[in-house]
Structure formats: structure tokens, C-alpha cells
Amino acid sequence: MTDLELLAELIEELSRDLHPEIEPLTDEELNWNPGPQANSIGVTLWHMARGMDFLGTRVLQARPAEEEYWHTKGWREKTGYDPRGIGYGGWGVVTGYAWEDVLGIPKFTAQEIMEYFDQSCHALSKQVRKLDQETAAEPVREFMKRRLTRFQWVKQFYKGFQAHVGEIMAIKAGMARAKEAR
């Protein structure tokens, strides 16, 4: 197994691992804020899905934002929310959002957010599997002043995704403690 195949498989496992954690959540639980200006599980999942969508479309394929799944799969129309131009680099992935921007992110059901998550996750995994070692080692011209190769982009994002899985588990534990305290 190559490093690219392993990375693609680990990305796919994000979806498999999160489904049993997310599907039982009510809308209230999905959108519960653990504290002032703290992201809910729903926002965290949307952030991860947006990151995968951005990475698979804009970074790995050098295609415009309008070709991200958020736009092509009807999510923008369904929610009325257009993340283009918001946050760090205008990427619309939550990073660099002001709190008012976070509050503007649409609320989803567990089924809806996991549908977008799955779409983005599987699309990114597919793009990683298409990379060969030479292409993976090339710097990405469009972002970060060519400092990162395609492989480094995916690896860095994946590490962030794993951190966010831990964040989701911590939010769930905090929510359970808050319920017990009532």
C-alpha cells in the first residue's frame, strides 16, 4: 500500500467512523453550543465537509469554488448560504470566520450534514487515489505561495480532521454531563 492509498483509506474511514456518532443526534444536540463562541457539532462537521470539498475541488483539481459540491450538489440553493469570500483566503471553510460568520452557517439535521460530509469525503478520497507520486509532490500554485505540495495539503487537512473528531467526542461528552446536571 502506498502512502497515497493509505491516506485515501483514512479519509474514507472518517465517514464510516462518524456515522454511528452523528446519526442518533437530535437537531438540538447537533446544534448545541458547549460555551460562548464555541462551535457546535454541526458547525464542526460542516467545517470538515467544507474543508474536504475545498481540498478535493480547488486544491487538488484547481477548479473554481463554483465547482465545489456545496454548489454543484444543490446545497447553496437548498440553504441559501454562499460561503465564497468568507474567512481565511475567502475559502469559506470556517477558518478565519468572525463569530457573526459562524452564526450565519445554516443548521442541518444529522442526515443532511452527513450527506454533504459523505459527498465531500468520497470526492476527496477519489481525488487522492488519482494522484501519482510525482503529481502529489508538486507544489500547489494557487494557494499559500506554493509552500505546500498536494500531498502536504491533504496530510495537513487530514490531521485537522482527526483533531475535529476528537473535538466532536469532547462536545458529546460535555453535552452528556450538562444533561446529567439538570
Side-chain angles (χ1 to χ4, degrees), residues 113-142:
I113 194 59
M114 289 310 294
E115 181 180 350
Y116 177 51
F117 189 93
D118 288 346
Q119 290 168 348
S120 298
C121 185
H122 297 307
L124 175 58
S125 176
K126 181 179 176 182
Q127 290 307 313
V128 171
R129 288 186 188 284
K130 286 182 179 181
L131 292 173
D132 57 38
Q133 293 297 328
E134 185 177 324
T135 305
E138 293 173 355
V140 176
R141 293 186 198 122
E142 295 80 11

Side-chain angles (χ1 to χ4, degrees), residues 46 50-51 53-55 58-59 65 68 71 83-95 97 142-145 147-148 153 157:
W46 188 80
R50 285 290 305 140
D53 199 357
F54 168 81
L55 187 57
R58 299 189 57 204
V59 174
E68 293 169 342
H71 304 282
R84 291 176 290 186
I86 305 172
Y88 181 83
W91 299 349
V93 299
V94 182
T95 304
Y97 272 33
E142 295 80 11
F143 303 102
M144 305 287 287
K145 300 178 183 174
R147 290 188 309 217
L148 298 175
W153 269 94
F157 268 60

Side-chain angles (χ1 to χ4, degrees), residues 59-104:
V59 174
L60 296 185
Q61 297 181 72
R63 292 173 36 206
E66 296 76 22
E67 294 187 34
E68 293 169 342
Y69 275 42
W70 184 257
H71 304 282
T72 62
K73 296 292 185 183
W75 293 104
R76 185 186 73 221
E77 289 81 18
K78 181 177 182 173
T79 63
Y81 183 73
D82 189 347
R84 291 176 290 186
I86 305 172
Y88 181 83
W91 299 349
V93 299
V94 182
T95 304
Y97 272 33
W99 185 245
E100 295 75 32
D101 297 326
V102 173
L103 294 175

Side-chain angles (χ1 to χ4, degrees), residues 14 18 44-52 117 161 164-165 168:
L14 287 169
L18 281 173
T44 302
L45 286 166
W46 188 80
H47 168 57
M48 293 171 68
R50 285 290 305 140
M52 287 186 261
F117 189 93
F161 299 149
H164 290 313
V165 169
I168 289 167

